[in-house]
Amino acid sequence: MSINLVLRNVLRSRLPILSLTRVRLLHEDIHDRSQNFPSPTMAGFTEKLDFIAHNAYDGIPIYRVCNRKGQVIVPGGDPGIDKDELIRMYKSMTLLNTMDKILYESQRQGRISFYMTNYGEEATHVGSASALDPQDIVYGQYRETGVLLHRGQTLDGLMNQCYSNQLDFGKGKQMPVHYGNKDLNFVTISSPLATQMPQAVGTAYAFKRAKNGLVVICYFGEGAASEGDAHAAFNFAATLDCPIIFFCRNNGYAISTPAEEQFRSDGVAPRGPAYGISTIRVDGNDLFAVYNATKEARNTAVSENRPVLIEAMTYRIGHHSTSDDSSAYRSVDEVRYWDVKDHPITRFSLYLKDKGLWDDDTEKKWGQDARQQVLKAFARAEKELKPSIKEMFTDVYDDIPPHLQSQMKEMESHLELYKEHYPIKNYAK
Amino acid sequence: MASILARLPSRLSLVSRPGARTIAHFKYHPDQPITDKGQLEKMTMLQSITSALDISLEKDASTCIFGEDVAFGGVFRCTVGLQDKYGKDRVFNTPLCEQGIVGFGIGMAVAGSKAIAEIQFGDYIFPAFDQIVNEAAKYRYRSGNLFDCGSLTIRATWGAVGHGGLYHSQSPEAYFAHTPGLKIVIPRSPTKAKGLLRSCVNDENPCIFFEPKILYRSASEEVPVEDYSIPIGKAEVVKKGSDITLIGWGTQVHVLLEVATMVQEKLGVSCEVIDLFSILPWDKETVFESVVKTGRCLIAHEAPITGGFGAELAASITENCFLNLESPIQRICGYDTPFPLIFEPFYLPDKWRCLEGIKKAINY
């Protein structure tokens, strides 16, 4: 809201302003300006040929609550989250970090086929998740596992998905990290970027009609924001008045492409007001800034049926994925800076320690506990059989149509003849 | 319903008006009236579609209709009166953006609402190709049935219209037929349009419903006023015959019916005409049964021949009816060119081209 005003004022101050006399002379023109052009505009006429420069206004400021030492520097900025939730938030972030390390290594050892870590972006996940109602629907991209974890997703569920075993909620059909959970209102992830964005808007529209008091949150990276579907989503959400929070994780890179090759605007945030969307930019490594912004965005979205855009500035500390070596396009020093000097987990742990809610001892115990939890779940998932091969044919449609039934039979007869050439024993009956 | 029909103006349409084109490439064959569904009323295809939409909105309060220009009644008048009757939150315009329309519809369906999205012309469905093929079609499968968008129906106008040129004439069904997870339906008459559209809306899978726009006003017949549905995935033997099976869908069925009469009269050849209706999944049983009986087959569609759905039919028929085939399967289709404006009469698989195809098959 305030950002909207700031932007508008800044824009105005750079626009040529008509002198009072000329305003009077042109009074009639200005008076009927809205009748002249059907397209809604707040603008009056000008007689000066003057383009609005691409750098006409200052960048949208980055809202923060804590400094890098975890000290709340904004009076009243501490959201006053209760102790249990603070600890739970910290545990979600660190458990995610522990799981990332182990699953990343397991991919390196060839035990799972693919993985994507969340290093450096843990606060964007947990801060926003904590500020939402658990019934609010989440549409994600793929680097939002912390949201799911903080909502109560078990480690077993995540491991089962990465191992595509018979307990996987997705029945082993998608690549690792493509999680989904109906009970936790987390829509299944898909690989095509930004496709979830207009979908999230459609769900938000259905929520508005259902008057259920819920919002939709839709996460995406700054690279995905370049897709046409991002444009579609912003514009539909605004024109159809949908209660949705667009949450952009601007981590500086889309695989190897740095943000300055992604857009020439001041990040993604300035697009919000251009679509008529209230917008804020936050420090994505500051848990409380993310929390406060999401909380307020949720209030706006649900009470006014309007979309809100949050751009969280952060840094992708890990490689893009296990198929990527990021040292090919960025310096190790750059990565080290963010890992050591400005890490969301470090910052939050300093806060907790300062408040006497956490200390080195608890840290050590929790570290061991988290590692054990992950390793145990990992071992359990690895032991499970893969789903029945027949599952290949289920869920294409709500039932299995005749042509697919006959293809399934064809496969079964084939496997009967050539069973020794297929890994049948790894699959459930 | 009656009040909505009464308001239909007879303008604002791209469909040929009487006199706009001297010779239509087909003669409309009215459908057999459905007699066991109560009161009948004379309806054009656009009116029967409006009727299906009206019933859909009435039966389920979650149902919404949206797309470009649907609020005032649609550029083909299929949604006339619906916004007044059901409100602006249920029948509304979207921004002009096809990928947004389909993505939005998927999201509504994921939330459990019935979503009826309109793409103004089938020719403009391609910006939404990614949302349809990668998203809508795969939603249930990839989530292990945790989430689905089964309550999504996409309506789009389809087919030649006399003067539509490259981008108001296309028949894109074959692009989508290659996509597991979708259902694709094309009606040939007002009666079939209403019943099949109702089935699409109620089906638990994402459906694409292609409406032959040349039939919107030119096809008119007695249609039940009340609700009824016609099953997806079932073809219809429109005319019984013994010498050759002719397969088509949409407007082309009428071309084939006319040809069937011609060859019966001129050559004494008895044609069995099948309306496939449903491109995906398609009714193998009815098709194979017919070809096994007749031993000859001609497939005709407006879309280009290479990679057209006729190729899938021909391959499957060859595989399953090999010993019964007396001659090669004939495919009479659009040429492998973009759909041309001034050459349309020469481009279409009209009755004369179909006639020649039948002669070839019979004389082989």
Side-chain angles (χ1 to χ4, degrees):
Chain A
M1 182 65 201
S2 57
I3 294 300
N4 220 347
L5 281 176
V6 167
L7 188 62
R8 198 178 299 158
N9 288 335
V10 173
L11 274 169
R12 268 192 196 145
S13 68
R14 297 292 302 227
L15 284 169
I17 302 296
L18 300 169
S19 73
L20 275 179
T21 12
R22 299 203 58 198
V23 167
R24 251 176 256 124
L25 285 171
L26 292 167
H27 181 76
E28 208 183 311
D29 277 357
I30 291 169
H31 181 71
D32 64 12
R33 68 193 174 207
S34 58
Q35 283 81 32
N36 288 347
F37 303 113
S39 181
T41 175
M42 295 173 287
F45 286 108
T46 176
E47 283 71 44
K48 195 173 165 195
L49 177 66
D50 193 7
F51 291 90
I52 298 168
H54 65 279
N55 55 357
Y57 54 89
D58 299 332
I60 292 177
I62 303 163
Y63 168 68
R64 65 171 175 166
V65 173
C66 294
N67 62 18
R68 285 174 195 166
K69 292 175 183 157
Q71 296 157 327
V72 175
I73 52 169
V74 181
D78 191 324
I81 301 168
D82 72 58
K83 180 183 160 239
D84 290 349
E85 176 62 6
L86 285 174
I87 300 294
R88 207 170 75 81
M89 289 166 95
Y90 185 71
K91 286 188 168 177
S92 292
M93 288 164 74
T94 45
L95 187 62
L96 174 64
N97 189 263
T98 307
M99 184 186 83
D100 274 352
K101 285 176 181 154
I102 290 171
L103 286 186
Y104 182 83
E105 282 310 315
S106 82
Q107 195 285 331
R108 297 281 107 176
Q109 296 165 13
R111 296 161 86 167
I112 58 174
S113 58
F114 179 77
Y115 196 68
M116 301 177 106
T117 62
N118 302 276
Y119 301 146
E121 300 182 44
E122 295 88 346
T124 61
H125 305 183
V126 174
S128 55
S130 180
L132 296 169
D133 184 306
Q135 300 298 311
D136 292 337
I137 275 201
V138 178
Y139 281 83
Q141 179 165 307
Y142 48 61
R143 214 183 297 283
E144 294 92 8
T145 307
V147 177
L148 194 49
L149 205 57
H150 195 64
R151 283 197 163 196
Q153 173 62 58
T154 61
L155 287 171
D156 286 294
L158 299 174
M159 304 281 173
N160 292 335
Q161 199 282 332
C162 289
Y163 264 106
S164 314
N165 67 27
Q166 61 177 334
L167 302 176
D168 169 21
F169 26 53
K171 302 182 187 170
K173 288 167 181 176
Q174 286 212 88
M175 285 173 78
V177 310
H178 290 55
Y179 310 115
N181 191 317
K182 182 88 173 169
D183 298 332
L184 299 176
N185 303 300
F186 190 99
V187 179
T188 300
I189 299 295
S190 74
S191 308
L193 289 178
T195 48
Q196 81 279 15
M197 297 179 70
Q199 294 171 14
V201 178
T203 298
Y205 188 85
F207 278 11
K208 179 177 77 167
R209 285 204 64 234
K211 295 190 171 65
N212 59 14
L214 297 176
V215 304
V216 176
I217 190 162
C218 177
Y219 296 90
F220 55 99
E222 91 286 349
S226 296
E227 292 282 2
D229 275 335
H231 158 68
F234 293 147
N235 201 28
F236 276 54
T239 56
L240 297 168
D241 306 313
C242 297
I244 182 170
I245 302 168
F246 292 112
F247 193 109
C248 178
R249 297 175 293 95
N250 185 344
N251 63 17
Y253 290 91
I255 307 187
S256 75
T257 306
E260 64 259 30
E261 291 171 24
Q262 200 63 248
F263 37 69
R264 283 297 154 90
S265 53
D266 169 36
V268 174
R271 298 181 208 172
Y275 285 103
I277 297 176
S278 299
T279 299
I280 192 167
R281 171 177 276 160
V282 302
D283 181 346
N285 297 342
D286 180 347
L287 189 73
F288 291 159
V290 173
Y291 179 91
N292 286 347
T294 310
K295 194 98 184 160
E296 190 54 34
R298 190 182 188 285
N299 285 341
T300 304
V302 81
S303 61
E304 299 174 34
N305 280 324
R306 283 202 291 123
V308 183
L309 171 62
I310 298 172
E311 181 181 26
M313 306 305 287
T314 181
Y315 185 83
R316 195 195 77 210
I317 292 175
H319 302 297
H320 164 69
S321 73
T322 48
S323 309
D324 170 54
D325 172 10
S326 67
S327 68
Y329 51 80
R330 62 180 186 180
S331 77
V332 177
D333 286 349
E334 179 187 308
V335 178
R336 192 174 297 129
Y337 167 82
W338 292 95
D339 197 18
V340 175
K341 300 266 164 126
D342 194 1
H343 198 290
I345 294 179
T346 314
R347 203 191 292 195
F348 190 41
S349 79
L350 290 170
Y351 171 88
L352 290 177
K353 283 172 183 167
D354 191 48
K355 294 277 168 192
L357 299 171
W358 199 253
D359 55 37
D360 291 344
D361 234 27
T362 21
E363 177 75 36
K364 199 176 165 193
K365 275 190 204 133
W366 164 244
Q368 287 164 351
D369 181 19
R371 197 174 153 76
Q372 279 310 307
Q373 284 187 40
V374 173
L375 287 172
K376 281 179 181 164
F378 181 81
R380 283 193 292 269
E382 196 166 37
K383 264 193 301 211
E384 285 292 333
L385 285 173
K386 305 305 177 197
S388 160
I389 304 166
K390 283 187 190 177
E391 291 287 4
M392 184 161 75
F393 294 94
T394 60
D395 304 328
V396 180
Y397 295 91
D398 62 330
D399 57 9
I400 305 180
H403 72 285
L404 276 183
Q405 284 179 27
S406 84
Q407 288 172 30
M408 189 159 79
K409 284 200 189 93
E410 198 182 304
M411 178 194 73
E412 287 174 315
S413 323
H414 176 76
L415 289 181
E416 199 45 48
L417 279 173
Y418 291 89
K419 46 178 158 309
E420 68 274 24
H421 302 294
Y422 295 90
I424 291 170
K425 65 174 173 37
N426 301 339
Y427 292 77
K429 283 276 171 259
Chain B
M1 184 61 222
S3 66
I4 287 171
L5 291 185
R7 297 187 53 217
L8 288 171
S10 59
R11 55 189 178 84
L12 279 161
S13 168
L14 270 170
V15 175
S16 308
R17 291 181 296 278
R21 210 168 166 261
T22 46
I23 308 163
H25 77 281
F26 70 100
K27 172 176 169 280
Y28 182 70
H29 293 67
D31 207 347
Q32 286 297 317
I34 294 177
T35 50
D36 61 344
K37 297 287 175 192
Q39 192 201 334
L40 296 168
E41 196 174 295
K42 189 118 174 160
M43 294 186 204
T44 59
M45 184 181 278
L46 76 86
Q47 288 169 326
S48 80
I49 286 165
T50 310
S51 170
L53 295 174
D54 187 10
I55 291 167
S56 302
L57 288 161
E58 192 188 322
K59 292 242 169 186
D60 183 337
S62 79
T63 309
C64 291
I65 294 173
F66 50 90
E68 294 157 12
D69 306 303
V70 302
F72 89 115
V75 297
F76 288 103
R77 319 310 288 148
C78 288
T79 52
V80 166
L82 297 177
Q83 190 184 64
D84 286 347
K85 190 167 170 185
Y86 295 99
K88 288 183 175 176
D89 68 320
R90 298 189 63 194
V91 180
F92 52 92
N93 289 339
T94 64
L96 204 166
C97 178
E98 286 76 14
Q99 65 196 94
I101 292 170
V102 173
F104 180 89
I106 292 171
M108 277 199 73
V110 167
S113 298
K114 276 194 170 25
I116 306 177
E118 180 180 305
I119 299 295
Q120 206 163 72
F121 287 87
D123 311 66
Y124 306 130
I125 204 167
F126 301 113
F129 200 71
D130 184 43
Q131 285 285 353
I132 295 171
V133 171
N134 275 331
E135 295 292 316
K138 298 171 174 59
Y139 231 95
R140 191 190 298 276
Y141 189 76
R142 74 184 186 207
S143 70
N145 203 24
L146 289 182
F147 297 93
D148 70 82
C149 61
S151 53
L152 169 68
T153 301
I154 302 164
R155 297 173 43 238
T157 62
W158 174 94
V161 70
H163 52 274
L166 279 76
Y167 306 111
H168 299 85
S169 308
Q170 291 179 61
S171 304
E173 63 272 20
Y175 291 105
F176 297 100
H178 198 55
T179 306
L182 297 177
K183 292 194 176 180
I184 306 162
V185 176
I186 308 171
R188 72 158 194 277
S189 67
T191 305
K192 296 294 186 290
K194 181 173 171 180
L196 285 165
L197 179 52
R198 285 290 296 139
S199 289
C200 286
V201 169
N202 288 326
D203 197 272
E204 297 291 323
N205 302 284
C207 296
I208 304 179
F209 189 74
F210 284 122
E211 301 167 2
K213 55 190 167 295
I214 200 167
L215 297 178
Y216 273 143
R217 287 162 197 280
S218 62
S220 175
E221 64 201 19
E222 296 289 325
V223 176
V225 176
E226 291 309 312
D227 191 19
Y228 63 94
S229 48
I230 294 171
I232 300 170
K234 290 296 289 176
E236 184 193 4
V237 178
V238 187
K239 183 185 172 301
K240 287 260 180 211
S242 55
D243 298 331
I244 182 168
T245 302
L246 312 182
I247 306 171
W249 49 91
T251 322
Q252 195 64 23
V253 176
H254 302 290
V255 175
L256 295 177
L257 283 169
E258 192 177 349
V259 175
T261 309
M262 275 166 60
V263 295
Q264 182 72 63
E265 285 166 3
K266 292 189 177 171
L267 309 171
V269 171
S270 162
C271 299
E272 180 143 305
V273 179
I274 294 179
D275 182 350
L276 203 62
F277 293 141
S278 175
I279 304 299
L280 189 68
W282 64 280
D283 185 354
K284 296 188 170 185
E285 209 179 320
T286 301
V287 167
F288 296 160
E289 198 178 299
S290 174
V291 178
V292 163
K293 181 180 74 177
T294 61
R296 288 181 167 84
C297 181
L298 177 143
I299 301 155
H301 56 64
E302 289 178 10
I305 188 164
T306 301
F309 196 64
E312 176 59 34
L313 292 171
S316 297
I317 292 166
T318 307
E319 191 183 343
N320 288 276
C321 313
F322 188 69
L323 294 177
N324 304 90
L325 283 171
E326 302 287 346
S327 65
I329 296 167
Q330 302 293 312
R331 284 186 294 151
I332 308 298
C333 306
Y335 297 110
D336 288 338
T337 69
F339 198 108
L341 181 70
I342 204 63
F343 309 118
E344 180 170 326
F346 309 97
Y347 173 88
L348 284 173
D350 67 0
K351 59 185 172 188
W352 303 111
R353 286 183 59 205
C354 290
L355 170 70
E356 186 53 25
I358 293 171
K359 279 188 185 169
K360 266 194 198 161
I362 295 293
N363 299 330
Y364 184 79

